[in-house]
């Protein structure tokens, strides 16, 4: 169950970055900021629960890895960010590292 909490926390980690981006583009900035605050709180709470069972080093790397790669993909698909080879290759290395930590756990 801890791994499910950790994955959900990583997904909410993406939410705060998305909320901040949306607050730049929305007419009513408050909605983006609220999304960021709620996502950040849920993300940290879920990391807190997950790290009770998963070593904190592993939990933190997986949590930030999901947030980083997920936010990169959101930027590419929703905001037209660059999808160059080196960006995707580097993101793939992060994913491989996260998988390796899960296997080693």
């Amino acid at each position: 169950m801890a791994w499910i909490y950790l994955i959900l926390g990583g997904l909410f980690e993406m939410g705060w970055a998305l909320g901040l981006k949306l607050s730049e583009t929305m007419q009513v900035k408050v909605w983006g900021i609220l999304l960021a605050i709620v996502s950040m709180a849920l993300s940290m709470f879920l990391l807190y629960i997950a790290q009770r069972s998963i070593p904190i080093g592993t939990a933190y790397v997986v949590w930030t890895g999901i947030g980083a790669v997920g936010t990169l993909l959101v930027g590419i698909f929703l905001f037209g960010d660059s999808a160059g080879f080196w960006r995707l290759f580097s993101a793939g290395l992060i994913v491989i590292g996260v998988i390796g930590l899960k296997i080693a756990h």
Side-chain angles (χ1 to χ4, degrees):
M1 195 67 179
W3 283 98
I4 293 171
Y5 291 134
L6 187 59
I7 291 168
L8 288 173
L11 294 174
F12 278 108
E13 182 73 1
M14 295 166 34
W16 74 262
L18 177 61
L20 293 178
K21 180 67 174 178
L22 290 175
S23 73
E24 293 177 0
T25 59
M26 295 174 69
Q27 192 81 13
V28 182
K29 295 182 183 310
V30 127
W31 292 113
I33 293 169
L34 284 175
L35 173 64
I37 291 169
V38 169
S39 293
M40 192 179 301
L42 287 170
S43 176
M44 289 183 184
F45 178 71
L46 290 165
L47 173 64
Y48 165 75
I49 292 171
Q51 61 85 34
R52 291 179 180 174
S53 303
I54 301 169
I56 188 61
T58 301
Y60 185 73
V61 170
V62 170
W63 180 68
T64 57
I66 292 169
V69 173
T71 302
L72 176 87
L73 295 174
V74 166
I76 289 169
F77 290 116
L78 297 183
F79 298 101
D81 291 355
S82 168
F85 170 78
W86 288 111
R87 291 188 86 210
L88 296 177
F89 178 76
S90 299
L93 292 175
I94 294 170
V95 171
I96 289 169
V98 166
I99 291 169
L101 285 172
K102 168 63 173 123
I103 291 170
H105 173 72

